[in-house]
Amino acid sequence: MGDDAVQPVKDEEREGPVAQVWRPTLAAVVDSLVQREGVLARGLRAVEPVSPVRTRSCLDAVDAYGGVTLVPLPDEAWNTSVAIWRGDHWNCLVNLWTAEEGRSDLALDADIFERGGSYRYRVNLVHVP
């Protein structure tokens, strides 16, 4: 990671880009949704356990969007995905991509918490913001 890497910013007034350090974990969460698995099945230790009900809710949102197939995030997904500081955590909206349309209106909503020099991730939902 070079000096130009996007760093986490604690700014409650403005959205900014998703920090470089969070991208691999968020991409792995999306990969688990692409494969229609629970996040726990992916062995993502930094991600808080995602209940079967929440996983089903995320997948149901994709299904309700209408006949699309999620695909892994391309690099350009980070150009439009955003994060904002909420006082004790960051809230991220990661744009999701589909085979049929490329960038979709769907987004993964996740919270990221700073914990002793590392980060913990909580998956909230998939929705159309």
Side-chain angles (χ1 to χ4, degrees):
M1 200 178 322
D3 292 334
D4 60 346
V6 178
Q7 299 297 318
V9 176
K10 294 179 180 177
D11 183 343
E12 293 183 62
E13 301 298 319
R14 285 185 297 260
E15 292 177 335
V18 173
Q20 206 86 29
V21 68
W22 305 333
R23 294 176 184 185
T25 300
L26 291 169
V29 169
V30 172
D31 287 349
S32 72
L33 292 170
V34 167
Q35 296 173 21
R36 300 190 67 83
E37 298 177 344
V39 172
L40 286 180
R42 303 292 301 155
L44 302 172
R45 291 185 314 239
V47 178
E48 292 180 3
V50 179
S51 72
V53 170
R54 183 165 295 176
T55 298
R56 182 79 255 150
S57 175
C58 289
L59 294 173
D60 285 350
V62 173
D63 294 342
Y65 186 70
V68 296
T69 305
L70 284 183
V71 297
L73 295 176
D75 288 340
E76 60 261 36
W78 304 115
N79 296 338
T80 56
S81 298
V82 296
I84 190 165
W85 178 246
R86 296 290 187 204
D88 66 345
H89 70 278
W90 289 271
N91 178 250
C92 293
L93 287 177
V94 178
N95 293 116
L96 300 179
W97 291 64
T98 69
E100 295 76 12
E101 62 185 348
R103 183 178 152 207
S104 74
D105 292 331
L106 289 166
L108 169 70
D109 182 303
D111 293 330
I112 300 174
F113 300 86
E114 219 170 0
R115 296 287 189 261
S118 64
Y119 298 98
R120 294 288 298 165
Y121 302 76
R122 179 175 60 210
V123 174
N124 296 321
L125 68 149
V126 170
H127 64 114
V128 176

